[in-house]
Amino acid sequence: MTGVPVLPVLVITGYAIVVTILRWFFVRDSAVDRLINRALGLAGVGMLIGLATTSSAVPVVVGHVSAITGFFTTSAIYGVARMLDGGSGPDAHRRQRRYDLVALGGAVSAVLVNMAVVVHLIPVEISSRWHSICSAGSGLPLAVSGFLLMRASLREFRSADTPMGERVAYGALIGVGVFWACYAAILLVRYRWGVPPDDPGKVWALAGFTSLAVITTLLAIPLARIAAVRFGWDRDSRDCRRLRPLWAALTDAVPHVTLTPDDTPREPAERRYRMAIEIRDALLHLRRQADGDHDDDIGRRALEMLRGAELGLPARSSADSHDVELRHLLALADRWPEAESAYIATDRSGLSAVPGNR
């Protein structure tokens, strides 16, 4: 581990493995997600093997597993970078199989060389030289992966449609891509100087673990979103809670605007959209009846509270987008409890002023 403290390595490794396990359960819908999960899991296993090699009683077996893990980690990382850079077409699966076959060839060669050393067919120096060549060669696909990741992230970062939060994530990915390219170059330069590629030095080793922690954190963002939706902490769920009092009052006053209910589980965004439609239809109905007489007390009561809630709100146009309409409805929903309380207070004061009610 080139002098890197064991505790941070264990923490980062455990973090990566936990995130990988959770992603295998909750984030596995697309091919790129499954490939990302594979790459992250292999990277975590590779770090565990790196820790084991410092005290393992069977270094040959551990070396075999380490070689296999390293080659397949590189093939998965390269495949992810290609897919993120626009290579996620119908031939992506076939292309990834080619990468895996190359990784399998490298892993088999490393295992055969190790076995040849065990049975004394070749000297240890040849085995060490071969492993150094393989380690240095794996830096080439890593450098290309860094370039592809940097290019794809920069394209999304510069897009005008990318929100600020996503720009921060893409900025971190750009930094990771730059690090991968520089790290591979450093390995090759150090190899030319006679330094084994599996010994990048304490500084670069720490930087490598830091980059893994950054990537793992970025890959944990979908898990955080899933948890937020599950517990109702996301924006869509919060909007639904804000709209519910207004929605309940208006659909009670104008029940025919309620869409046909079903038992299909809906995402918070779908529920919010449906509530907004029903609120809008109820508002249109009440406004059409504003100049007429309401036969039901509920409709008259809702119309009075609506007039109170809309005081001070800017007028809306029929050409407003859905986002503008939603912001208006949320502002109206925020004012609704106050308007309801004012109406109830006015109604009670009016009743108390009628002779015979005192």
Side-chain angles (χ1 to χ4, degrees), residues 177-256:
V178 172
F179 169 76
W180 282 355
C182 294
Y183 182 79
I186 290 296
L187 287 183
L188 292 174
V189 171
R190 287 169 64 89
Y191 175 69
R192 293 289 297 174
W193 288 348
V195 180
D198 55 357
D199 182 17
K202 184 176 181 179
V203 174
W204 283 98
L206 284 173
F209 295 134
T210 303
S211 71
L212 179 61
V214 171
I215 293 175
T216 304
T217 301
L218 294 176
L219 295 178
I221 291 176
L223 296 173
R225 291 175 177 171
I226 292 173
V229 172
R230 186 69 57 89
F231 292 105
W233 298 336
D234 61 307
R235 177 182 175 182
D236 298 334
S237 298
R238 296 197 306 270
D239 288 348
C240 288
R241 289 195 294 270
R242 289 173 62 186
L243 290 172
R244 187 165 295 279
L246 176 63
W247 172 84
L250 295 182
T251 53
D252 189 29
V254 191
H256 67 269

Side-chain angles (χ1 to χ4, degrees), residues 69-115:
T69 303
F71 281 111
F72 280 102
T73 301
T74 302
S75 71
I77 290 174
Y78 184 74
V80 169
R82 284 293 306 272
M83 295 179 74
L84 293 178
D85 193 45
S88 57
D91 62 335
H93 181 68
R94 184 171 62 254
R95 188 173 59 241
Q96 185 60 40
R97 281 188 299 182
R98 292 199 300 267
Y99 304 154
D100 292 340
L101 286 176
V102 174
L104 179 62
V108 169
S109 68
V111 171
L112 291 177
V113 169
N114 284 340
M115 294 300 297

Side-chain angles (χ1 to χ4, degrees), residues 33-65:
D33 283 330
R34 292 189 292 271
L35 191 56
I36 287 173
N37 297 343
R38 191 178 100 181
L40 185 60
L42 288 172
V45 171
M47 292 177 66
L48 284 178
I49 293 174
L51 287 173
T53 55
T54 60
S55 59
S56 176
V58 283
V60 174
V61 176
V62 175
H64 293 170
V65 180

Side-chain angles (χ1 to χ4, degrees), residues 2-348:
T2 63
V4 177
V6 176
L7 182 58
V9 176
L10 283 175
V11 171
I12 296 174
T13 302
Y15 180 38
I17 291 176
V18 169
V19 170
T20 302
I21 294 173
L22 292 176
R23 282 182 60 92
W24 273 117
F25 280 101
F26 300 107
V27 187
R28 56 179 184 179
D29 294 335
S30 65
V32 66
D33 283 330
R34 292 189 292 271
L35 191 56
I36 287 173
N37 297 343
R38 191 178 100 181
L40 185 60
L42 288 172
V45 171
M47 292 177 66
L48 284 178
I49 293 174
L51 287 173
T53 55
T54 60
S55 59
S56 176
V58 283
V60 174
V61 176
V62 175
H64 293 170
V65 180
S66 178
I68 295 173
T69 303
F71 281 111
F72 280 102
T73 301
T74 302
S75 71
I77 290 174
Y78 184 74
V80 169
R82 284 293 306 272
M83 295 179 74
L84 293 178
D85 193 45
S88 57
D91 62 335
H93 181 68
R94 184 171 62 254
R95 188 173 59 241
Q96 185 60 40
R97 281 188 299 182
R98 292 199 300 267
Y99 304 154
D100 292 340
L101 286 176
V102 174
L104 179 62
V108 169
S109 68
V111 171
L112 291 177
V113 169
N114 284 340
M115 294 300 297
V117 172
V118 172
V119 298
H120 305 290
L121 291 178
I122 60 175
V124 178
E125 291 77 12
I126 295 180
S127 174
S128 300
R129 189 178 302 114
W130 175 249
H131 282 292
S132 297
I133 293 173
C134 290
S135 298
S138 65
L140 295 176
L142 182 63
V144 177
S145 300
F147 172 75
L148 294 176
L149 179 64
M150 180 177 57
R151 185 170 66 177
S153 301
L154 184 60
R155 183 168 56 246
E156 296 296 331
F157 183 86
R158 297 174 61 183
S159 175
D161 299 330
T162 304
M164 182 55 65
E166 294 184 11
R167 287 178 188 269
V168 175
Y170 284 121
L173 286 177
I174 291 172
V176 170
V178 172
F179 169 76
W180 282 355
C182 294
Y183 182 79
I186 290 296
L187 287 183
L188 292 174
V189 171
R190 287 169 64 89
Y191 175 69
R192 293 289 297 174
W193 288 348
V195 180
D198 55 357
D199 182 17
K202 184 176 181 179
V203 174
W204 283 98
L206 284 173
F209 295 134
T210 303
S211 71
L212 179 61
V214 171
I215 293 175
T216 304
T217 301
L218 294 176
L219 295 178
I221 291 176
L223 296 173
R225 291 175 177 171
I226 292 173
V229 172
R230 186 69 57 89
F231 292 105
W233 298 336
D234 61 307
R235 177 182 175 182
D236 298 334
S237 298
R238 296 197 306 270
D239 288 348
C240 288
R241 289 195 294 270
R242 289 173 62 186
L243 290 172
R244 187 165 295 279
L246 176 63
W247 172 84
L250 295 182
T251 53
D252 189 29
V254 191
H256 67 269
V257 302
T258 305
L259 301 176
T260 304
D262 55 45
D263 297 330
T264 304
R266 298 185 181 276
E267 295 294 328
E270 296 179 9
R271 295 200 305 268
R272 183 184 65 180
Y273 182 74
R274 182 168 178 150
M275 292 173 70
I277 290 178
E278 293 174 349
I279 292 173
R280 182 195 61 191
D281 292 345
L283 291 176
L284 290 174
H285 177 81
L286 290 174
R287 284 164 181 159
R288 282 197 300 265
Q289 303 296 324
D291 297 331
D293 295 331
H294 287 270
D295 297 333
D296 60 301
D297 293 336
I298 297 178
R300 182 169 56 252
R301 179 174 178 267
L303 181 60
E304 291 297 328
M305 287 189 291
L306 176 62
R307 288 169 175 167
E310 288 183 327
L311 289 176
L313 285 180
R316 284 190 58 252
S317 170
S318 58
D320 287 342
S321 65
H322 175 71
D323 291 339
V324 174
E325 181 184 36
L326 178 61
R327 287 196 294 270
H328 176 82
L329 294 181
L330 289 171
L332 186 62
D334 292 339
R335 291 166 169 256
W336 188 260
E338 183 180 352
E340 186 177 21
S341 300
Y343 175 83
I344 293 174
T346 302
D347 189 50
R348 286 177 179 175

